[in-house]
Amino acid sequence: MAAEIERPRILYGPAGPEPPYPLRMEGTVISGFGRGSKELGIPTANLPVDEAATPWIATAKSGVYFGYASLALPPSHPDHHARHQGNPLAPASAPPAPLSSSSVPPTAPTSQWQIYPMVMSIGYNPFYKNSVRSAEVHVLHKFAADFYDAPMRLLILGFVREERDYPSLDALVVDINVDCEVARQSLARPAWTPRQGVVDGASGEFDGSWLVREE
Ligand code: ADP
Ligand code: RBF
Ligand code: MG
């Protein structure tokens, strides 16, 4: 397994996502296989694999991908608009609020949608030998509560690796934690960071407006 842990932490060049990325996907968070991913520290928000809504998925290579997820959490969720309510985890040097919330009357709605970095798996989970293809997203954020039934959008920006079988659950978890690190580091570059809407206040040059648009 050591060789796997030594794979590169930064994928693709600094200029930003390359065709065919970004790939879009959206859906409502559903229950997954209930295998206790949460207990392993890697909860995954499962989305329906709907080839009518997401035509590219039929021919997409199975494997691990990285990019951004956006969520429209209900007002009752503890992480709802955490940034606007003074999230204690937000850096003190967070950039000023976008124009839309500073130059218009205070009653104007800010986007319902918040953006988070993510890493995901599309495929059959060879370790579990699933017979149906699943899409599951591990959001790189610590949430105070679950968000089943929430609408989620994805912009997938790159491919990390093929899915593998593992000699043990531990080995699978170690590899997924490397995937998380690869996603974090690859997305931290300016051309890979959305201009606005990222939950921790990060701001870059990437056009992530599809993730936060109002319907
Ligand atoms: P399931 O088998 O139902 O998918 P999981 O153990 O994979 O169960 O947990 C997934 C659920 O955990 C998600 O649907 C979501 O509501 C919640 N959750 C909490 N934190 C996260 C996170 N960081 N990433 C993904 N899902 C999370
Ligand atoms: N399952 C596999 O069988 N093989 C894999 O290579 C694999 N890679 C994954 C990578 C990521 C980033 C994520 C979020 C999941 C992956 N899975 C993989 C799915 C995993 O088996 C599933 O989330 C389980 O529920 C974890 O217990
Ligand atoms: Mg899951």
Side-chain angles (χ1 to χ4, degrees), residues 5-213:
I5 301 166
E6 282 157 23
R7 58 198 160 92
R9 296 304 196 265
I10 297 197
L11 299 179
Y12 301 98
E18 302 161 13
Y21 305 102
L23 294 170
R24 296 171 178 180
M25 181 170 183
E26 58 190 321
T28 298
V29 177
I30 55 172
S31 289
F33 298 101
R35 288 190 184 120
S37 314
K38 210 174 292 170
E39 287 69 34
L40 301 175
I42 39 167
T44 61
N46 291 62
L47 289 179
V49 175
D50 177 349
E51 293 183 6
T54 315
W56 60 262
I57 208 159
T59 52
K61 196 157 135 174
S62 288
V64 180
Y65 294 81
F66 72 100
Y68 290 96
S70 63
L71 283 165
L73 295 172
S76 58
H77 192 283
D79 293 88
H80 174 80
H81 279 192
R83 188 165 51 112
H84 305 295
Q85 291 167 355
N87 178 358
L89 297 176
S93 61
L99 274 177
S100 60
S101 64
S102 59
S103 65
V104 291
T107 49
T110 50
S111 175
Q112 288 282 98
W113 297 85
Q114 299 264 19
I115 302 176
Y116 308 84
M118 65 85 182
V119 64
M120 71 180 295
S121 129
I122 298 176
Y124 296 94
N125 299 3
F127 183 73
Y128 292 102
K129 301 182 174 54
N130 292 345
S131 56
V132 293
R133 206 148 182 253
S134 63
E136 44 179 321
V137 179
H138 176 57
V139 182
L140 298 172
H141 182 81
K142 179 111 188 73
F143 290 90
D146 286 349
F147 46 86
Y148 287 107
D149 297 326
M152 180 182 250
R153 297 173 180 160
L154 305 177
L155 274 184
I156 297 163
L157 303 189
F159 182 83
V160 179
R161 63 172 175 87
E162 295 192 3
E163 340 175 72
R164 304 179 52 217
D165 195 357
Y166 293 87
S168 68
L169 185 55
D170 271 1
L172 168 65
V173 171
V174 166
D175 223 13
I176 293 177
N177 283 322
V178 175
D179 298 330
C180 294
E181 193 52 30
V182 168
R184 256 188 219 101
Q185 292 202 26
S186 299
L187 294 169
R189 298 169 289 175
W192 294 81
T193 301
R195 295 198 185 100
Q196 52 184 261
V198 185
V199 79
D200 67 356
S203 171
E205 299 149 13
F206 176 71
D207 179 5
S209 54
W210 182 81
L211 288 170
V212 295
R213 82 199 185 284

